[in-house]
Amino acid sequence: MSVIEPVTAGEQLREAFGCFPSGVTAVCADVDGVPVGLAASSFTSVSIEPPLVSVCMQHSSTTWPKLRGLPRLGLSVLAEGQDDACGRLASKKGDRFAGTPTTVAPDGALFVDGATLWLDCTVHAEVPSGDHDIILLNVHGIRADPATPPLVFHGSRFRRLAAI
């Protein structure tokens, strides 16, 4: 029989949470003509009525404070093959958008071209939760391409979905 280990370190939790595959999103906006954004793998649908999704943001993020007060945010569910773009968006240094084609909506939401899903959002609520905040986003517009497979993150690396 397997043994349940007591939680003693953050690294232990990171490894455990990595057992659950997730998609990867980019949360972005145009700020005075400059693209600003970050990668978030803690994305989930929340509600149909009203249309809500959530992402989680670390309290230590220096990018989220630049985005949280904007009128619109673009959430892109990254597609298979966009692992390099994801790596740049997750980086703390360098140009996060170098080599990544984007589209800016008239309302300032910024989307990653080629993503499987675009959601045009506003912040609905922020819920403090440990060392992160759960950000509830109200969805105002959608562009979905179900034929484009998503980028999948599992076990600290990118993977592909396989049809069965």
Side-chain angles (χ1 to χ4, degrees), residues 4-75:
I4 300 292
E5 298 176 21
V7 176
T8 58
E11 197 55 42
Q12 179 189 23
L13 283 171
R14 277 184 205 76
E15 182 180 1
F17 293 163
C19 290
F20 184 74
S22 65
V24 184
T25 64
V27 180
C28 308
D30 181 84
V31 180
D32 299 324
V34 177
V36 175
L38 50 80
S41 61
S42 57
F43 167 77
T44 191
S45 58
V46 175
S47 171
I48 299 292
E49 188 54 47
L52 297 173
V53 297
S54 71
V55 292
C56 294
M57 299 291 175
Q58 283 184 322
H59 290 163
S60 61
S61 172
T62 57
T63 305
W64 177 241
K66 297 173 187 173
L67 295 170
R68 74 170 14 121
L70 296 175
R72 292 290 176 122
L73 299 173
L75 187 143

Side-chain angles (χ1 to χ4, degrees), residues 59-117:
H59 290 163
S60 61
S61 172
T62 57
T63 305
W64 177 241
K66 297 173 187 173
L67 295 170
R68 74 170 14 121
L70 296 175
R72 292 290 176 122
L73 299 173
L75 187 143
S76 301
V77 174
L78 299 180
E80 190 175 278
Q82 291 185 315
D83 41 309
D84 288 341
C86 180
R88 285 189 299 276
L89 284 162
S91 178
K92 301 264 187 237
K93 52 188 164 181
D95 180 355
R96 289 182 174 178
F97 292 90
T100 302
T102 60
T103 296
V104 179
D107 57 20
L110 187 140
F111 302 98
V112 176
D113 292 353
T116 187
L117 175 65

Side-chain angles (χ1 to χ4, degrees), residues 89-142:
L89 284 162
S91 178
K92 301 264 187 237
K93 52 188 164 181
D95 180 355
R96 289 182 174 178
F97 292 90
T100 302
T102 60
T103 296
V104 179
D107 57 20
L110 187 140
F111 302 98
V112 176
D113 292 353
T116 187
L117 175 65
W118 289 355
L119 299 176
D120 186 21
C121 302
T122 56
V123 175
H124 177 77
E126 295 187 47
V127 181
S129 303
D131 59 1
H132 282 65
D133 288 331
I134 300 169
I135 312 302
L136 295 172
L137 298 171
N138 196 333
V139 178
H140 299 282
I142 296 172

